[in-house]
Amino acid sequence: MRRFFAGILSLCLVLCLLPGTALAAEGSMDHFTPERDYDGRFADVSAADWYYDNVVMLYELGLTEGQAADRFGWNSNVTLAETLSFAARIYSAYHLGDPEAGAAAYAADADTWYAPYVAYLQAEGVVGTQFAGRYTENTTRGQMAWVLNQLLPARELPGVNTALVDDAVATRRFITDVTVDTPYRVEIFNLYDWGIASGSDEWGSFHPDTGITRCEFAAMLTRLVDPDLRITLTWDLTEFRTPTGTTWADLYPERGAVVTRYAVDDLAAMEANFLNMVCTGEDSLYYAGGSLSGAEMDTLMENYLSVSLKYPEMGGSYVGLQWDWTGRVQISFSNAAGADRDDALAAAIAVHDQLWESGKLTADMTDREKAWVLCQWICANCDYDWNFRETAFVADGVFNLGSAVCQGYSAAYDLLLRLEGIRCWAVYTDGHMWNVAVLDGKTVHIDTTWADQGYGVEKQYFAMTEEYAWSRAGL
């Protein structure tokens, strides 16, 4: 993460060269020492309040007089005028050793109480005129971050959370409400880096466009002037990095119980049995419902094949039957490519990790947004296999060879969706297969094969209605 201190450092160098600015070049954190004792004057602040020590410190350092003689105004939003007055006192204390000395030189011509503080900051080049005419407005947290970034030189603001903040931003697991389009983005991240901010919830949210209360501002100001108060963040990113260790059973919580006796046309029972078979690492199961005629065996095999194709990620393209003199029938599942379903799951987990670590998948995304990212990944990393090799019909064709037909596309997409907790399955015709997924409670159809046009991704084949999905070209 880049840190933009050049402007502050340049300002310090210029001040060193100007007449009468020798004290500014000798700024020191040692200037932030108590100049008076707190006498309990703020009736709206009690010793039991979490911000009590922060308010007391501000008063004792001469950085606040409160909103009134007996009131700090802890729950009031900070205005731009108040923000700049706090900033001017901190800047003056650091450079001149007196919080009020800087503004005092501009008091004679002031027409408002905050004018001397604004004039002092403008004269020192700390702020410009960007807030002119708006001083009575509430300060947004983003504006506050920018102002705080201007007050101390880089040497006083070492990064205490640099690596963690970089990872949090890259993975989009924390501070997710600050994006590439957020004003003052770099300044906001700097506050986390320096230990000035930790966020307002367990995800470190900053709320850049909302106001900030005086008690919250007090906490940040005291961390700015006292390095001992700065926060070392303890966010845990590891659990969000990888689903390594996920089993097939984890992916199908809806599978239901094994059914021991069922009719040859009971697709629900067959689906439950098939899923349970895969989740236990097996490739075959048994039918013990009594003797079957040849026609019934054909029906049993065809129905189990349809169930197998509904979950192409499990690698079953063929179904075989064997039976003995007792009437027990063994149903076996296989694929011509000899692909291993556990290898496919491991490959899908690796893709999951890559997308999370790059920040393309984030915790604040909806199912639909995640599914679209995964669709784009499939299209970007796979081409249609016009040679129809055996590997093209399994997920391995996508993950390891980058070449597949619709069944392979659907198999890989199902795995990626399942890893994000999205329930899904495949549907097929005599010549094509695509996916169905439940996104944010709504069932939609997604065809990654048709979406993959080589030159880009056709979004019209993402999140289709059932009617549109089946109406395409007579499907």
Side-chain angles (χ1 to χ4, degrees):
M1 183 181 298
R2 297 178 64 191
R3 304 287 183 241
F4 296 91
F5 298 119
I8 297 175
L9 292 175
S10 298
L11 174 60
C12 292
L13 292 174
V14 170
L15 289 175
C16 291
L17 301 176
L18 294 176
T21 59
L23 284 176
E26 297 173 359
S28 172
M29 296 297 285
D30 292 337
H31 292 166
F32 295 112
T33 57
E35 62 179 40
R36 57 191 176 183
D37 294 326
Y38 180 61
D39 55 7
R41 65 178 53 209
F42 299 136
D44 61 340
V45 177
S46 72
D49 295 326
W50 68 264
Y51 48 85
Y52 176 80
D53 290 339
N54 306 108
V55 173
V56 169
M57 177 180 287
L58 288 185
Y59 177 80
E60 292 185 340
L61 292 175
L63 298 176
T64 187
E65 299 296 333
Q67 283 189 326
D70 61 349
R71 187 180 72 256
F72 179 70
W74 66 274
N75 201 34
S76 300
N77 282 330
V78 181
T79 64
L80 284 166
E82 291 174 318
T83 297
L84 296 178
S85 67
F86 277 117
R89 294 186 190 108
I90 288 174
Y91 193 84
S92 179
Y94 179 80
H95 289 290
L96 306 177
D98 183 338
E100 297 293 345
Y106 301 88
D109 298 325
D111 55 358
T112 60
W113 70 266
Y114 53 82
Y117 300 104
V118 175
Y120 170 58
L121 292 177
Q122 290 176 337
E124 294 294 310
V126 178
V127 300
T129 59
Q130 66 266 52
F131 302 126
R134 302 167 54 195
Y135 298 119
T136 58
E137 296 178 9
N138 289 336
T139 305
T140 68
R141 295 170 67 88
Q143 291 168 334
M144 175 273 300
W146 183 86
V147 172
L148 294 188
N149 269 250
Q150 315 309 312
L151 303 184
L152 297 177
R155 65 177 178 271
E156 310 294 5
L157 296 165
V160 295
N161 300 299
T162 304
L164 185 61
V165 171
D166 286 350
D167 284 347
V169 173
T171 60
R172 296 293 296 146
R173 193 63 190 89
F174 291 84
I175 330 178
T176 57
D177 59 345
V178 179
T179 70
V180 293
D181 298 319
T182 300
Y184 315 114
R185 175 176 181 266
V186 171
E187 290 80 7
I188 291 170
F189 290 147
N190 282 346
L191 295 188
Y192 288 88
D193 186 8
W194 300 333
I196 307 301
S198 61
S200 57
D201 57 28
E202 61 180 319
W203 307 117
S205 301
F206 191 75
H207 304 303
D209 298 322
T210 64
I212 182 169
T213 61
R214 286 172 61 87
C215 64
E216 293 172 323
F217 198 33
M220 291 194 180
L221 292 175
T222 52
R223 292 170 197 153
L224 187 71
V225 302
D226 186 350
D228 290 339
L229 297 181
R230 293 175 189 170
I231 300 168
T232 300
L233 298 173
T234 58
W235 295 335
D236 183 6
L237 297 175
T238 56
E239 66 177 294
F240 308 111
R241 290 294 186 88
T242 178
T244 297
T246 294
T247 67
W248 287 94
D250 296 328
L251 298 181
Y252 300 90
E254 78 280 9
R255 62 187 180 275
V258 172
V259 181
T260 56
R261 302 187 68 86
Y262 52 94
V264 295
D265 59 356
D266 188 345
L267 290 174
M270 293 181 184
E271 184 170 342
N273 289 346
F274 175 76
L275 292 176
N276 279 286
M277 175 199 73
V278 172
C279 291
T280 56
E282 303 296 329
D283 291 305
S284 63
L285 52 83
Y286 291 90
Y287 176 82
S291 297
L292 298 175
S293 67
E296 287 173 326
M297 285 190 180
D298 288 342
T299 300
L300 182 70
M301 184 172 66
E302 289 298 324
N303 284 341
Y304 264 117
L305 178 60
S306 69
V307 168
S308 174
L309 292 177
K310 184 176 179 179
Y311 300 97
E313 66 274 20
M314 295 180 178
S317 299
Y318 300 101
V319 176
L321 297 184
Q322 288 182 313
W323 60 94
D324 58 27
W325 63 273
T326 67
R328 191 176 73 156
V329 179
Q330 181 181 18
I331 305 103
S332 300
F333 303 84
S334 62
N335 62 79
D340 184 272
R341 69 171 68 98
D342 290 337
D343 290 342
L345 178 55
I349 289 172
V351 173
H352 170 281
D353 290 354
Q354 172 196 337
L355 293 173
W356 277 88
E357 289 175 358
S358 67
K360 292 181 180 178
L361 284 177
T362 66
D364 62 335
M365 283 181 169
T366 63
D367 289 345
R368 186 185 181 97
E369 290 169 335
K370 290 178 181 178
W372 173 237
V373 170
L374 297 176
C375 177
Q376 291 176 294
W377 186 92
I378 292 278
C379 294
N381 289 276
C382 188
D383 295 318
Y384 195 83
D385 187 348
W386 293 102
N387 294 316
F388 303 102
R389 292 170 291 185
E390 291 175 345
T391 53
F393 293 84
V394 292
D396 185 65
V398 175
F399 291 131
N400 294 316
L401 300 176
S403 181
V405 295
C406 57
Q407 186 170 332
Y409 275 81
S410 299
Y413 195 48
D414 260 7
L415 269 180
L416 293 175
L417 291 171
R418 288 274 175 179
L419 285 173
E420 298 305 328
I422 296 172
R423 188 182 175 196
C424 56
W425 57 92
V427 293
Y428 61 93
T429 67
D430 288 341
H432 192 46
M433 177 180 285
W434 65 94
N435 302 87
V436 179
V438 182
L439 305 182
D440 307 305
K442 182 179 180 181
T443 301
V444 298
H445 290 237
I446 304 169
D447 192 332
T448 55
T449 311
W450 280 31
D452 185 7
Q453 298 297 311
Y455 53 82
V457 184
E458 286 287 346
K459 200 167 186 178
Q460 71 189 80
Y461 302 119
F462 174 80
M464 298 177 287
T465 64
E466 181 178 10
E467 293 75 18
Y468 178 68
W470 285 99
S471 69
R472 298 170 297 149
L475 291 177

